[in-house]
């Protein structure tokens, strides 16, 4: 029997958190509870962020882009040294899976809260890690590496199972990747993939792998101390994804049986041990249509969705990370949690500042409201957010606003509570995926557990992204917005403050408010009857010229209650300039009121192409005088690490180019103006 | 302060009968208001819209601050005459950029907005209101000029319109003209005399003489644009201060001008809580008597008009046929005189005289609720000096310099009309309820007096009295006087500023008091208050 390794524990006194947003706050919360001094770092865009305000010390990183700030290990180490930090927690993203960063931190004599640099490197290589796992007996999808012009054939290929996926060995992000339906398509797919791989990565090595259509994404949380004690804290299912980005995660998975859980645990432990893993990590698997798991990759860091595991185990994973990093062995409660098994069910939804309906475009702006109803102490609702009321959501970083996690005895209860919590949220100033999350959580398929990665495509983005407020609800919202604004104007009246609103001794036209909404233009006309002791009565209401039977229960600037068709609903209102945000039990609307007196000439010139989102101009493809065809590229914007091409909507001649490469533009800014040519019918046909 | 109680029984027969009669009277007025609002009728309004123009009322709606009130004045001017009811114009007081303004608009759908004698009277009344209450004026101009067939009644007195505009300007009351269309010949002086002029590109036309007249006068060839186009006036003559691209733009520019008038109300402002009455104003319809011969307690009216139904009665035990006392409406303190049992005796005259002096001493406006058949006649009263006492009251009313507001809530006959601040005594505003009557005396009394005088005359001449003819004459005279004492007849002739729904009394008086508050109040000084 080998003698036990002596446990040398060096408590962390000052922790630098090399991250931002909700995860920085999350780490700080646990660290503060452990009596650790927290050092934040922040880019110029984040100077007013909550994670800065909540830190004991905060160090500015000059610049905006991640490359200039949060990804600069030299600046991070300098900040750590100046603040006498003895450990660095990388959070997730940024430097969290960088072997060199971990090495640099250790080299500077500091503790890296995470696995060893070697483990990070070992798991960082797509092909290498798979080989490693295969050797360690972890199930992986069968694959063949193809070097040069060879087209592999016969049994070798057939044994992989059709269809196949051909992938660039060096690549990522889907470039050089294609699906091969059958043997007859293989040669062409290989040559195409190789060509793309060569041009993108300078390496035309590709590999063939069995293609699993719409798999489930299952992952296992592991924890390991440096003394060889490794545990698996059950699985999470993260199959609801948009563009390979998880948006809803839960634990346990509705399809994982005890038998499968045992297989997953075994595989995860083998994977971790194969690389001598220490600290918290996640082994990701795809689950094919037969329910068989295959190793996908290992994330050598804390995951965004770690709170669902915390919920079902009762553990604080950040605390455990810090303990492990300080040299402690896994404490007994970890083993107790493993023995107890998953408790209840937890679901997390990621609330993003993005517009699902317009291609998930990130949305930026100031949060005029940010309220997520957390409920009472027994509600099981947990909110992790990096923003608060008044925060500015900038285009520089990930647009996640918050994670909302619900823990309940059953999956159904957790799902219902999460949907209701999101539905009751008031988030104003940016577009969000809130309604899509609510529709997903309330979808019968989701409730049944039919949650593979094809869910959103199968149900249809159009259906899921449809706002919760239908046209009729939006009309009620417009009426509430009009009456609330009316109440505000009356409350601010400089003269005749108590005279009944809109009084006429010979009543003619109605008071009119016209709004742009998701459902198009809504015109509201209203007139109040003379006051009587029962309060204000509406004499007449019209929506788009049609009389509506409405009773006003109350109309105040921030709250309007209406009875329509004998149903009374209360609406909360917030006005910011011409925009009114309306939240009710029948959904939310963002209503932009038409100017009563538009200033002539302030409208956008016809033929103008506008920036669809804020970003930097990376390419201007046309010049003044150019003849352009419909669909021709005009300008390319870069935002959120993605390129957005702006194309001509009609044929014409470019009369104005208002931007140049390097400019930062705001949403709605004019980029290019064209004289649109009338398209004539072909007279010879 | 005591709160007025009520004894109104909404289930009583008299309440129901009153309510039915008042509802019918209100409906009759509403019908005429609807007619006035229709302007020149569907066809002309449609044609107006086809030309891309807004009807006059929509121009006003767009000019006003949203959700503020508009008190239309004399809306039924010209009723029953050869001219369209409303007199082809709309006048009233509304709030623009937080400022109470007198607003006047031609209605171009009524005979091209041509001005008739009633239009002129309505405009003149507006000038009086603007001057008396210190209001800026906004004219929304589009008129074909004078209604030529009635020029004899119009041309010579009509010059007053232009004189008034510049007198308002001299009195530091800014005048703004927004010219929506034609404003030619004499009409050109409406913008011409205004402090600020906005014209609309290709719409406004302002000249003294059009191309045909110029050709006749001097032989010169010219066109509309050269003579009076908006662009010419904005760029060449300088008559226009601002050039708008369309009607909403002209209204926007008009509002912009008003927002820069550096306007401050000079009154003391409201000083009392403005809580609504505790009794329901809706019940006023059942309180006002359907039969003018049946008096009703004005305290029941006040209980539905004054703030919180709070009323401090002055001299309740003396001259009880007239109720006097203090209260407030929309926070403005007021003194109120209201007839109770119709007749004014010496005691009532004394009480009124003293009360009017008290209001002047403390600079508080007075409200007169008329429901009077006049001063008492008869040997006993004449010998007791009813003429002297009535004269004292009329003297006090005439020389009182606090603002007066008069509402005829039932009857206003004889010299009672004078003592209770009738039209000739220049109340700042005068309104009538639809049940109200006003004449020198009641129709039956007047016919009877004529009959007696006729009988005496026959006897003096020694001729036989024609009894049959007398009956016919009495019927005819009674019918004529009854018709001439009706509110529509009187409002048509601008003997009031409009007929109001009794339920709107508090609102209308509240607006008037706020309007009055643009001007500081100074009561008549000179003597101490005479104890009467």
């Amino acid at each position: 029997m080998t003698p036990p390794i002596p446990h040398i524990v060096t408590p962390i006194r000052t922790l630098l958190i090399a991250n931002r947003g909700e995860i920085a706050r999350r780490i700080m919360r646990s660290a503060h509870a452990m009596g650790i001094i927290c050092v934040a770092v922040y880019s110029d865009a984040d100077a007013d962020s909550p994670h800065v305000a909540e830190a004991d010390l905060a160090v500015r990183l000059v610049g905006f882009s991640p490359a200039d700030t949060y990804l600069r290990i030299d600046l991070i180490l300098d900040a750590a040294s100046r603040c006498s930090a003895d450990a660095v927690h990388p959070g997730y993203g940024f430097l969290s899976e960088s072997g060199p960063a971990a090495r640099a931190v250790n080299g500077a004599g500091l503790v890296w809260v995470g696995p060893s640099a070697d483990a990070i490197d070992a798991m960082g290589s797509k092909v290498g890690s798979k080989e490693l796992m295969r050797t360690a007996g972890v199930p992986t999808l069968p694959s063949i590496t193809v070097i040069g012009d060879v087209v592999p054939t016969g049994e070798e290929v057939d044994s992989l199972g059709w269809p196949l996926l051909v992938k660039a060995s060096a690549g990522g992000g889907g470039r050089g990747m294609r699906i091969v339906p059958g043997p007859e398509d293989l040669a062409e797919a290989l040559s195409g993939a190789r060509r793309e791989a060569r041009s993108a990565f300078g390496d035309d090595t590709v590999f063939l792998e069995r293609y699993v259509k719409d798999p489930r994404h299952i992952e296992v949380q592991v924890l390991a101390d440096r003394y060889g004690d490794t545990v698996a804290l059950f699985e999470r299912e993260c199959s609801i994804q948009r563009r390979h980005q998880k948006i809803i995660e839960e634990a346990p998975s509705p399809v994982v049986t005890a038998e499968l859980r045992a297989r997953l645990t075994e595989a995860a432990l083998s994977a971790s041990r194969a690389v001598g893993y220490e600290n918290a990590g996640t082994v990701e698997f795809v689950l094919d249509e037969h329910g068989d798991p295959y190793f996908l990759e290992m994330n050598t860091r804390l995951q965004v969705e770690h709170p669902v595991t915390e919920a079902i185990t009762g553990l604080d994973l950040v605390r455990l990370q810090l303990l492990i990093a300080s040299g402690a062995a896994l404490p007994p409660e970890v083993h107790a949690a493993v023995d107890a098994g998953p408790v209840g069910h937890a679901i997390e939804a990621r609330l993003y500042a993005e517009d699902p309906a317009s291609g998930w475009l990130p949305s930026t702006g100031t949060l005029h409201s940010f309220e997520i109803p957390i409920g009472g102490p027994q509600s099981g609702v947990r909110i992790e957010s990096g923003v608060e009321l008044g925060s500015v959501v900038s285009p520089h970083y990930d647009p996640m606003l918050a994670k909302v996690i619900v823990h309940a005895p059953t999956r159904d209860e957790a799902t219902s509570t999460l949907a209701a919590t999101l539905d009751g949220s008031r988030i104003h100033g940016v577009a969000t995926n809130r309604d899509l999350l609510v529709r997903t959580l309330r979808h019968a398929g989701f409730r049944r557990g039919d949650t593979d990665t094809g869910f959103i495509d199968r149900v249809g983005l159009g259906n899921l992204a449809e706002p919760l407020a239908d046209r009729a609800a939006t009309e009620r919202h417009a009426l509430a917005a009009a009456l609330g604004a009316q109440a505000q104007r009356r409350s601010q009246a400089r003269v005749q403050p108590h005279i009944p609103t809109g009084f006429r001794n010979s009543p003619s036209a109605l008071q009119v408010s016209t709004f742009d909404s998701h459902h198009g233009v809504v015109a509201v006309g209203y007139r109040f009857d003379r006051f009587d002791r029962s309060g204000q009565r509406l004499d007449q209401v019209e929506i788009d010229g049609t009389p509506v039977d409405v009773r006003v229960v109350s109309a105040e600037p921030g709250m309007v209650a209406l009875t329509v068709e004998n149903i009374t609903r209360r609406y909360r209102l917030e006005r910011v300039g011409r925009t009114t945000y309306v939240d009710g039990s029948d959904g939310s609307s963002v209503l932009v009121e038409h100017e009563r007196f538009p200033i002539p000439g302030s409208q956008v010139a016809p033929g103008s192409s506008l920036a669809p989102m804020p970003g930097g101009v990376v390419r201007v493809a046309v010049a003044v005088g150019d003849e352009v065809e419909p669909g021709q590229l005009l300008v390319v914007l870069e935002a959120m690490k993605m390129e957005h091409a702006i194309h001509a909507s009609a044929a014409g001649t470019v009369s104005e180019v208002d931007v140049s490469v390097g400019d930062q533009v705001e949403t709605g800014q004019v980029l290019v103006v064209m004289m649109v040519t009338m398209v004539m019918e072909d007279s010879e046909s | 302060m005591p709160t007025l109680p009520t004894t109104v029984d909404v289930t009583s027969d008299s309440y129901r009968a009153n309510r039915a009669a008042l509802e019918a009277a209100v409906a009759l007025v509403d019908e005429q208001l609807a007619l006035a609002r229709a302007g020149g009728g569907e066809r002309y309004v449609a044609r107006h819209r086809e030309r891309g123009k807004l009807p006059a009322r929509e121009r006003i709606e767009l000019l006003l601050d949203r959700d503020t009130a508009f008190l239309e004045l004399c809306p039924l001017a010209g009723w029953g005459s050869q001219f369209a009811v409303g007199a082809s114009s709309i006048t009233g007081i509304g709030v623009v950029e937080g400022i109470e303004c007198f607003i006047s608009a031609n209605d171009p759908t009524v005979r091209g907005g041509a001005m008739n004698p009633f239009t002129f009277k309505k405009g003149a009344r507006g000038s009086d209101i603007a001057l008396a209450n210190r209001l800026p004026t906004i004219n929304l101009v589009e008129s074909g000029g004078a209604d030529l067939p009635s020029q004899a009644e119009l041309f010579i007195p009509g010059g007053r319109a232009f004189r008034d505009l510049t007198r308002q300007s001299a009195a530091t009351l800014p005048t703004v003209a927004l010219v929506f269309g034609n404003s030619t010949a004499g009409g050109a002086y409406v913008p011409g005399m205004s402090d600020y002029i906005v014209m609309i590109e290709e719409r406004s036309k302002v000249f003294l003489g059009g191309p045909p007249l110029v050709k006749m006068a001097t032989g010169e060839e010219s066109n509309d644009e050269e003579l009076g186009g908006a662009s010419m006036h904005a760029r060449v003559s300088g008559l226009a201060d601002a050039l708008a691209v369309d009607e909403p733009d002209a209204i926007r520019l008009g509002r912009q001008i008003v927002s820069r008038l550096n306007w401050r109300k000079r009154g003391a402002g409201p000083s009392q809580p403005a809580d609504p009455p505790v009794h329901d104003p809706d019940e006023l319809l059942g309180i006002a008597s359907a039969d003018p011969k049946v008096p009703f307690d004005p305290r029941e009216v006040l209980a539905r008009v004054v703030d919180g139904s709070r009323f401090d009665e002055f001299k309740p035990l003396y001259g009880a046929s007239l109720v006097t006392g203090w209260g407030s409406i929309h926070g403005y303190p007021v003194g109120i005189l209201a007839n109770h049992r119709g007749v004014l005796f010496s005691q009532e005259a004394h009480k009124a005289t003293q009360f009017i002096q008290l209001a002047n001493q403390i600079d508080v406006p007075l409200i007169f609720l008329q429901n009077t058949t006049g001063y008492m006649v008869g040997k006993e009263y004449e010998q007791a000096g009813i003429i002297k006492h009535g004269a004292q009251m009329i003297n006090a009313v005439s020389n009182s310099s606090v603002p007066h507001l008069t509402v005829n809530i039932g009857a206003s006959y004889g010299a009672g009309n004078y003592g209770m601040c009738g039209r000739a005594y220049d109340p700042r505003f005068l309104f009538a309820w639809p049940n109200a009557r006003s004449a020198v005396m009641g129709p039956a009394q007047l016919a009877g007096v004529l009959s007696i005088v006729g009988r005496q005359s026959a006897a003096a001449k020694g001729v036989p009295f024609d009894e049959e003819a007398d009956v016919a004459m009495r019927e005819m005279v009674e019918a004529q006087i009854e018709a001439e004492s009706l509110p529509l007849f009187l409002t048509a002739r601008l003997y009031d500023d409009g007929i109001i729904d009794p339920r709107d009394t508090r609102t209308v008086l509240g607006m008037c008091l706020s309007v009055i508050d643009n001007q500081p109040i100074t009561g008549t000084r000179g003597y101490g208050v005479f104890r009467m």
Side-chain angles (χ1 to χ4, degrees), chain A residues 486 489-490 494-496 498 501-508 511-513 526 530 533 593 596-597 600, chain B residues 37 61-62 64 66-70 72 97-98 100 248-249 255 274 278 280 330 501 503-504 507 514:
Chain A
Q486 171 274 144
R489 286 190 290 270
R490 289 309 296 152
R494 280 161 58 192
V495 296
Q496 305 179 5
H498 304 291
T501 176
F503 172 80
R504 300 285 183 274
N505 52 333
S506 180
S508 55
Q511 300 283 337
V512 181
S513 297
Y526 61 91
R530 66 170 55 82
R533 284 186 308 168
E593 188 165 10
R596 200 174 177 212
F597 300 102
Chain B
R37 286 196 297 271
E61 291 288 346
L62 204 51
L64 298 172
R66 297 168 76 182
D67 306 301
T68 58
F70 182 65
E72 190 173 339
E97 293 286 349
E100 288 155 325
D249 193 35
R255 289 176 54 82
V278 298
D280 191 350
H330 281 276
D501 188 313
R503 293 169 291 191
D504 291 336
T507 298
S514 178

Side-chain angles (χ1 to χ4, degrees), chain B residues 311-376:
Chain B
F311 183 66
D312 266 359
E313 198 165 340
F314 173 74
K315 270 184 152 60
L317 304 178
Y318 181 86
S321 180
L322 179 76
V323 173
T324 55
W326 310 104
S328 66
I329 298 175
H330 281 276
Y332 294 97
V334 290
I336 295 159
L337 299 93
N339 303 109
H340 186 186
R341 276 181 289 274
V343 188
L344 293 162
F345 300 90
S346 293
Q347 275 200 350
E348 281 73 16
H350 285 144
K351 181 174 167 178
T353 306
Q354 188 181 354
F355 188 70
I356 290 165
Q357 292 181 83
L358 289 170
N360 274 270
Q361 183 190 47
I362 58 172
D363 304 332
V364 165
L366 287 169
I367 291 179
F368 294 84
L369 298 186
Q370 300 179 327
N371 192 8
T372 176
T373 50
Y375 291 97
M376 194 61 196

Side-chain angles (χ1 to χ4, degrees), chain A residues 531-534, chain B residues 277-284 287 303-304 309:
Chain A
F531 274 35
D532 61 24
R533 284 186 308 168
S534 61
Chain B
V278 298
H279 304 296
D280 191 350
D282 188 59
E283 292 163 0
L284 287 169
I287 290 169
R304 288 156 182 83
S309 302

Side-chain angles (χ1 to χ4, degrees), chain A residues 11-15 28 30-38 56 86 322:
Chain A
I12 296 166
R13 288 191 314 270
T14 303
L15 175 70
M28 241 180 270
S30 287
H32 273 148
M34 295 166 78
I36 297 170
I37 295 166
C38 292
D56 300 296
D86 43 23
L322 295 169

Side-chain angles (χ1 to χ4, degrees), chain A residues 268-355:
Chain A
L269 292 175
S270 301
S272 305
R273 286 174 182 139
V275 293
Y277 199 85
E278 181 191 321
N279 214 290
T282 297
V283 186
E284 297 192 333
F285 299 91
V286 292
L287 203 65
D288 72 5
E289 62 272 34
H290 312 295
D292 290 322
Y294 298 95
F295 174 83
L296 186 64
E297 60 178 355
M298 181 168 187
N299 288 321
T300 51
R301 56 175 164 84
L302 190 67
Q303 297 274 88
V304 177
E305 59 272 25
H306 74 272
V308 294
T309 297
E310 293 186 323
I312 60 158
T313 59
L315 298 171
D316 176 343
L317 292 179
V318 173
R319 168 177 166 265
L320 293 168
Q321 277 195 299
L322 295 169
L323 287 177
I324 291 166
S326 68
L330 292 183
E333 64 266 26
V334 172
H335 295 288
V338 171
D339 294 343
V343 177
H345 198 99
I347 308 189
E348 172 183 282
R350 299 192 195 181
L351 201 50
Y352 279 96
E354 65 184 13
D355 185 359

